Amino acid sequence: MSFIVIIPARLASTRLPNKPLADLGGKPMVVRVAERAKEAGAARIIVATDHASIKEACEQHGIEAFMTRADHPSGTDRIAEVARAMNLPMHAVVVNLQGDEPLIDPDLLQAAAARIGADVPMSTCAHPLHDAADAFNPNVVKVVLDKQDRALYFSRATIPWHRDAFAKDKSALPAGYVPLRHIGLYAYRNDFLQAYPALEVSPLEGIEALEQLRVLWHGYPIAVHVTDSAPAAGVDTPEDLARVQALYKSGG
């Protein structure tokens, strides 16, 4: 499966300023993310940014970068602009890889891309949850699937709700009950990616604060690749950055 990776990278970050340019073993974080995409076998890798310093840092390391508008409401809108400006074929598969995921498993990118087909314009990933604290945490987004591993719904709530077991005890997950945590990695067929920004925002999206619910609300299927374990965490805070910097320093 041939696919293109577009990496949205904004300089502004409330919790971690200048995050894409943070040093990881002698290279900016956004460059390390692009290197992961190379390991996945992407046919082309483009960093989509709103700041010249990120574009310059990428080009210094041989990474293609494109300056986008600064007012996009989401990363999806940002990569749609890039795909349109680059005249990518409408059937091209585009993977949206966040610029703060320097430890992402390259296999996940391949798996997400492979789920795109003539009848599936969008895909994402998930992994099993085994901890009750995660299952009941609204910051951990859950997804339920149909028999074809397509998303029925995404929620911050605990879904599916185990009626009988949870009526008795919520301190542990019952045997055989394995909720799925959504992993925020997406792939799109480019024709759908171009149509997405014009889709009406759904009420569900507003309630849950989950952008992907717009897609389901409009009736488009989202295929979900289920991986066995949680991927390495991204970089959101100074503590996250220190952890990842230590890994690169140790050669891990």
Side-chain angles (χ1 to χ4, degrees), residues 86-98:
M86 295 291 185
N87 292 315
L88 298 184
M90 285 298 170
H91 65 271
V93 175
V94 178
V95 175
N96 180 354
L97 174 58
Q98 295 303 308

Side-chain angles (χ1 to χ4, degrees), residues 9 11 20-21 27-28 30-31 47-68:
L11 194 67
L21 298 177
K27 295 181 182 178
V30 68
V31 172
V47 171
T49 184
D50 61 354
H51 204 279
S53 62
I54 296 176
K55 185 174 187 290
E56 291 167 5
C58 290
E59 291 174 345
Q60 286 172 5
H61 290 86
I63 304 298
E64 185 177 5
F66 182 86
M67 290 289 294
T68 69

Side-chain angles (χ1 to χ4, degrees), residues 129-137 142 158 166 169-174 177 179:
L129 285 173
H130 303 288
D131 188 339
D134 287 335
F136 291 104
N137 183 350
K142 275 72 67 174
T158 308
F166 291 157
D169 181 21
K170 297 187 186 73
S171 63
L173 299 182
Y177 171 77

